[in-house]
Amino acid sequence: MKEITQNIFYVGVNDRNKTLFEGLWPLPNGVSYNAYLVVDEKVALIDTVEADFFMPFLENIREVIGDRPIDYVVVNHMEPDHSGSLALLRQFYPNIEVVGNKKTFDMLHGFYKMDSNLKEVKNGDSIALGQQHTLQFVLTPMVHWPETMMTLCDRVLFSGDAFGCFGALNGAYVDEQMNCDEFWLEMTRYYSNIVGKYGTPVQMALKKLNGVPVDYICSTHGPVWHEHVAKVIGIYDRLSRYEAEPGLVICYGTMYGNTERAAEVIARAAAQAGLKNIVMYNVSKTHHSYIIRDVFRYKGLIVGAPTYNTGLYHEMNVLLDELSQKDIKGRFMGWFGSFAWASKAVGEIARWNEEKLKYDVVGQPVEIKQALTPETTAQCEALGREMARALME
């Protein structure tokens, strides 16, 4: 039996086959789709799983409750990796009542044409399941869809996608039963790429939960948090405030190695100036989700790319567009670029920052014609030193 606490059970599944989450984000360690049962005089299922995993999901449910009916299914979030089994569930539990808010039901009709046996809840509403358990609902819109909400049951928080992370669960499902080292950076990558744009709604949700005693956080992805509840809430609080460590992300595009050599000069100068947290990425080799993760982690960003087709190197253009959509605040930025016969890269990066990113500019941009010279090498060194000084002040 997968009991978490006091007749609350884990009934989720693992997906170790999908390579890209939402067709976008790499899953080197898979992903879990978490669902939970609360068993009392009535039975409530909290969220479902992706439809492809319905049969093992159903087996997990029956392992806990046998032939008992499920009275309620609470839909904290309508994305199909969590709501995808609802129509199938109705075939096995035809009298089940779907619990959600008004925006949930608008999507429920659109996705699955489900319009009957619905129970609408508003912020603060509750449903008593019996003598032991009462469900209370906290609406958290735009964390990270309009209909998202969380469900409290005593000191257990069913949080939807909030506090989730990439990575399948390898036998254990509660954090104190496993080594969580692999999940911390994957939580940051999950947050920064999926939830990251919505820092203000996350802060509003955290304020609603402020002062609420929570012993367990049961997210829809990743471990059930118990031992690390305070740490997990702290990570979300810090990331949603766009707070960052004093470190530097250097990312570059390169065709023939000249821009890469400039990036190495900048990194070496920053390190010699005393900066320890430095990460470097080739934007054509590293999936951008890892770069975006580290832009959330570190306060400094230096980007560089060659001119290509009288414009900015494609992958750098894509990365800057992705960053502009995340609304990350309070970063330092410097840049450099190279060209063979038409100078465009430096100007295009400057335009991205002026019009979209609006980060604080550090140092002088470096423009390299064809290959590094003693003069442009010295300019790259100056850029690295100035960024290091700004980050260590």
Side-chain angles (χ1 to χ4, degrees):
M1 300 286 273
K2 301 176 181 179
E3 187 171 22
I4 298 169
T5 181
Q6 300 173 342
N7 287 323
I8 296 175
F9 299 87
Y10 178 88
V11 291
V13 298
N14 287 302
D15 185 348
R16 303 181 192 279
N17 298 316
K18 188 179 271 87
T19 56
L20 293 175
F21 188 75
E22 298 179 343
L24 292 168
W25 321 117
L27 293 173
N29 301 312
V31 69
S32 67
Y33 309 122
N34 299 340
Y36 307 90
L37 279 174
V38 183
V39 180
D40 204 324
E41 295 169 28
K42 293 187 175 182
V43 175
L45 175 64
I46 314 294
D47 295 306
T48 72
V49 303
E50 194 168 274
D52 290 350
F53 296 85
F54 178 74
M55 290 312 297
F57 172 56
L58 183 62
E59 290 174 8
N60 289 344
I61 291 171
R62 287 177 166 170
E63 181 184 339
V64 176
I65 62 171
D67 294 329
R68 281 190 67 178
I70 300 175
D71 298 279
Y72 303 108
V73 55
V74 176
V75 183
N76 283 322
H77 184 22
M78 271 298 301
E79 275 193 288
D81 56 334
H82 308 301
S83 67
S85 290
L86 285 171
L88 289 167
L89 194 68
R90 272 269 172 92
Q91 296 182 28
F92 290 85
Y93 301 96
N95 298 318
I96 196 169
E97 215 170 351
V98 180
V99 179
N101 58 71
K102 184 180 184 303
K103 292 179 180 178
T104 306
F105 296 150
D106 291 342
M107 294 184 180
L108 192 68
H109 172 80
F111 277 113
Y112 310 117
K113 302 298 184 285
M114 294 176 66
D115 297 301
S116 61
N117 275 18
L118 309 182
K119 187 176 182 64
E120 182 180 341
V121 294
K122 297 179 174 63
N123 189 64
D125 285 354
S126 61
I127 297 174
L129 300 180
Q131 296 298 312
Q132 286 187 310
H133 298 298
T134 296
L135 307 180
Q136 185 176 3
F137 306 99
V138 181
L139 270 60
T140 56
M142 297 315 304
V143 185
H144 54 120
W145 274 27
E147 87 303 348
T148 50
M149 67 181 195
M150 301 183 189
T151 303
L152 281 161
C153 182
D154 302 322
R155 299 170 74 97
V156 178
L157 177 66
F158 301 100
S159 61
D161 273 355
F163 309 114
C165 59
F166 297 128
L169 302 178
N170 301 323
Y173 44 91
V174 179
D175 61 354
E176 64 188 353
Q177 301 166 346
M178 65 180 78
N179 184 333
C180 292
D181 290 350
E182 71 179 67
F183 290 108
W184 299 122
L185 282 180
E186 286 295 74
M187 173 175 279
T188 300
R189 187 165 69 95
Y190 179 91
Y191 177 92
S192 58
N193 287 277
I194 294 176
V195 188
K197 180 175 182 176
Y198 304 105
T200 298
V202 171
Q203 280 292 306
M204 292 174 66
L206 291 173
K207 287 177 182 176
K208 285 185 178 181
L209 296 169
N210 187 37
V212 176
V214 174
D215 290 338
Y216 292 86
I217 295 177
C218 297
S219 176
T220 46
H221 297 294
V224 172
W225 303 112
H226 178 49
E227 181 181 1
H228 298 298
V229 163
K231 179 176 180 177
V232 166
I233 293 174
I235 289 172
Y236 260 62
D237 183 39
R238 175 175 53 79
L239 291 172
S240 60
R241 293 178 188 272
Y242 303 101
E243 294 180 357
E245 302 172 48
L248 173 60
V249 180
I250 301 174
C251 50
Y252 61 89
T254 193
M255 295 166 61
Y256 303 112
N258 292 300
T259 318
E260 184 173 51
R261 282 188 279 276
E264 296 283 2
V265 172
I266 292 167
R268 185 167 60 248
Q272 290 173 348
L275 187 64
K276 293 184 177 180
N277 293 327
I278 302 171
V279 292
M280 296 184 66
Y281 294 111
N282 182 328
V283 292
S284 297
K285 182 178 180 182
T286 300
H287 193 276
H288 293 180
S289 65
Y290 295 94
I291 302 172
I292 293 168
R293 175 199 69 188
D294 284 347
V295 174
F296 267 81
R297 292 174 67 203
Y298 296 131
K299 192 175 180 67
L301 172 66
I302 294 178
V303 301
T307 298
Y308 192 81
N309 280 343
T310 65
L312 182 59
Y313 187 71
H314 175 266
E315 285 301 312
M316 181 58 69
N317 208 54
V318 171
L319 175 65
L320 295 176
D321 182 51
E322 291 170 337
L323 286 173
S324 75
Q325 296 176 37
K326 300 302 179 184
D327 198 28
I328 307 168
K329 301 173 177 66
R331 297 300 185 265
F332 295 148
M333 182 172 170
W335 59 90
F336 62 102
S338 62
F339 69 99
W341 49 271
S343 172
K344 285 290 184 179
V346 166
E348 284 297 294
I349 296 171
R351 184 180 62 82
W352 269 110
N353 192 49
E354 290 166 7
E355 296 180 5
K356 297 288 188 179
L357 299 172
K358 302 184 187 300
Y359 297 157
D360 292 336
V361 179
V362 172
Q364 291 296 316
V366 181
E367 187 167 57
I368 302 159
K369 183 176 181 180
Q370 291 148 7
L372 282 169
T373 65
E375 181 182 7
T376 52
T377 297
Q379 292 171 359
C380 288
E381 291 171 341
L383 179 57
R385 287 194 299 268
E386 288 180 48
M387 181 62 79
R389 280 197 294 269
L391 293 170
M392 294 188 297
E393 284 181 352

